[in-house]
DNA sequence: CTGTTAGCGCATTCAA
DNA sequence: TTGAATGCGCTAACAG
């Protein structure tokens, strides 16, 4: 019941050459677009033969020969993170536009798996790697045999292009927005910070902005990587409650370091019956689609993730093609999307 | 500044053989785990040499030789869809557990791209394909040179294993839940149905369940694929408003065919100031994480997506290993997660 | 148990 | 312009 019988094995370049009555070399040249070295007659014959046989070159053989594979890999710590998925969309499109195919590898926050994939990828002759590392310390000391573009964060002792958010700008924007809206007790909640440059930048910026405003208190708590467990959820709620109780006379708000965490916080706030900007404001980095609909909308810092993904590929391609300029940081500005979660009913400034 | 110099080119199996003073074949055997055909002495030598050289076999060469690549592909219509991403997680894990690597290809709802990838994949010698087709009519007539497992929906004239939701069970569950909770005007909103078996099953089931309850009216509207445009959003809102006005005396609820659409509907409901189960109930297929936090929580039909992904791979692997049994449908039951969006204040049954 | 040999499908010398 | 020959790194006969 399969669409077609296709008992034939896949045609090879030799089959095409034979049918077209030309040498394999000519076919190879045709495939690689070296038309200036081919007569019209031969070209036409080859074209015909290819169509008849429905021939398509074997990428594996090509890769073996030339070392390149038209494959690039995207290594991400958490496939669940909307940020990663959004970046992936831009990446995927760019790949398609340039004849590349994307290998997606989820390290699932395990350094071991990160290592595993880093090794594995070279054996697939990937031409380049888009690397969203778990943290700055990568435990594979071997040099990568392919260009690497980092996403979101840096790696120690490894200099490579990086595409990411302008965290200083974005964190300033976020913090100032809260302060300007009359919040004077702000809790910044982050997942583990050590070794993750982007998080560090955000937290430090937050601290320094708050330090410039003597009337506002700024707390930072660093929680463990959130799992789906009720336990983590309860713990988070407890910590938020503590913060809430600590500033009875102030207007309180929370900044969340990323999209997944924002969701957890929203959940916790709901459990605590505090899910209302009059009780506790909420602002999150990342702007997943649901941010507009949770509660009456969560104010967020939107990253141009799609463009970032696309740009990442372009940078990588430049490297693949031999560009040797010194590594650059391409930082995108974050955009503040204001929603109800940081509104004051009365402008009580 | 790169971690290591690595001026050497990558070691090959010959290098290992030379260093270990054995034949290439023995090394190959070692690599493939045929230890019973190797003396302890040789085995140790090879092991040593491999470690010294930090050798890793070239997958491309292997693939070329044996035709298999340890690569499988996942072809999805919309990488934005949380369903697909969740399935992908299970898939990715299963791949990892079995030494496979996942190629992710986003057809972005374009039949042309679907065709493009279907062609491309064979040239990468993928060993199997997990295929979430755009719709039942696939415009590539060529037979696939690799096993295929379908996800979510069927394809006409093409018999293959399929993993999906038990749509009849799930749609019955959903509809009955609404009816039992006193809703007697139910609007089922779907994205295009033609050629998409899973949607058809859901809609038909809905219709027949409603038909068995004479006091409840069931409407179905089929909207176009939602883009991110304001226009689509406004149109959707209009249609919902019409439904709302049509049944002034009844208790109204909406069923949404999938997660993305549920979000759009929630947005529309909010625009219309109807985002409250007392005004209009809401129930959606799929249970993305945010479903718990939108409004006071959206009741949904949860699919065991992760397990589905994992199971899909297992099925595929069986086929890859030559299993010839006749194609089967593996249907998973949907689970109803009841939240506020379908609660009645008064039990007005 | 072990090694030699011969390709897998293609791109690249090199000659013609 | 064209094509024959060579080898990319590996595995699978086939001998020993």
């Amino acid at each position: 019941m399969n669409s077609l019988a296709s008992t034939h094995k896949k045609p090879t370049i030799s089959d095409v050459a034979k049918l077209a009555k030309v040498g394999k070399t000519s076919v190879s040249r045709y495939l690689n677009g070296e038309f200036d070295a081919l007569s019209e007659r031969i070209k036409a014959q080859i074209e015909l033969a290819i169509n008849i046989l429905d021939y398509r070159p074997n990428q594996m053989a090509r890769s073996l020969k030339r070392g390149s594979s038209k494959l690039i890999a995207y290594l991400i710590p958490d496939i669940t993170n909307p940020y990663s998925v959004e970046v992936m969309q831009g990446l995927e499109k760019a790949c398609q536009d340039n004849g590349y195919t994307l290998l997606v590898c989820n390290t699932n926050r395990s350094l071991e798996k990160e290592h595993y994939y880093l090794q594995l990828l070279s054996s697939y002759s990937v031409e380049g790697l888009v690397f969203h590392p778990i943290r700055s310390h990568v435990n594979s000391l071997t040099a990568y045999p392919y260009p690497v573009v980092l996403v979101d964060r840096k790696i120690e002792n490894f200099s490579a292009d990086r595409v990411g958010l302008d965290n200083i700008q974005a964190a300033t924007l976020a913090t100032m927005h809260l302060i300007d809206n009359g919040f004077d007790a702000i809790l910044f909640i982050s997942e583990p910070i050590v070794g993750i440059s982007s998080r560090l930048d955000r937290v430090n910026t937050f601290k320094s902005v708050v330090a410039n405003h003597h009337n506002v208190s700024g707390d930072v708590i660093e929680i463990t990587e959130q799992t789906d467990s009720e336990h983590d959820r309860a713990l988070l709620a407890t910590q938020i409650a503590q913060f809430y109780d600590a500033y009875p006379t102030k207007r309180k708000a929370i900044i969340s370091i990323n999209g997944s965490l924002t969701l957890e916080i929203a959940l916790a706030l709901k459990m605590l019956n505090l899910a209302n900007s009059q009780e506790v404001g909420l602002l999150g980095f990342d702007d997943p689609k649901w941010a507009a609909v949770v509660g009456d909308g969560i104010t967020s810092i939107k990253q141009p993730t799609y463009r970032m993904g696309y740009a990442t590929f372009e940078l990588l391609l430049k490297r693949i093609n031999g560009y040797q300029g010194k590594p650059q940081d391409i930082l995108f500005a974050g955009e503040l999307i204001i929603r109800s979660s940081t509104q004051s009913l009365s402008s009580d400034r």
Side-chain angles (χ1 to χ4, degrees), chain A residues 226-243:
Chain A
Q226 290 303 94
T227 66
D228 239 324
S229 70
E230 282 313 314
H231 174 260
D232 279 7
R233 217 154 264 156
L235 194 61
L236 179 61
T238 309
Q239 292 178 284
I240 292 175
Q242 273 168 14
F243 162 73

Side-chain angles (χ1 to χ4, degrees), chain A residues 271-285:
Chain A
M271 281 173 52
L272 296 168
N273 264 316
L274 259 30
N276 179 308
S277 66
Q278 298 317 300
E279 294 291 356
V280 179
L282 179 57
L283 184 157
F285 280 83

Side-chain angles (χ1 to χ4, degrees), chain A residues 243-291:
Chain A
F243 162 73
Y244 183 80
D245 293 338
Y247 299 100
T249 66
K250 297 209 167 200
R251 237 186 123 223
K252 296 159 283 290
I254 296 176
I255 300 183
S256 157
I257 195 120
N258 67 38
S260 331
L261 186 57
T262 307
L263 201 50
E264 293 297 336
I265 295 175
L267 229 33
L269 251 20
K270 208 173 122 191
M271 281 173 52
L272 296 168
N273 264 316
L274 259 30
N276 179 308
S277 66
Q278 298 317 300
E279 294 291 356
V280 179
L282 179 57
L283 184 157
F285 280 83
D286 297 342
D287 184 47
K289 250 192 165 176
W290 44 258

Side-chain angles (χ1 to χ4, degrees), chain A residues 47-65:
Chain A
E47 195 161 343
L48 183 64
I50 287 183
N51 284 331
I52 292 179
L53 295 173
D54 188 29
Y55 165 78
R56 258 151 299 130
N58 180 325
Q59 286 297 338
M60 292 307 188
R62 293 185 124 173
S63 315
L64 180 57
K65 189 82 245 245

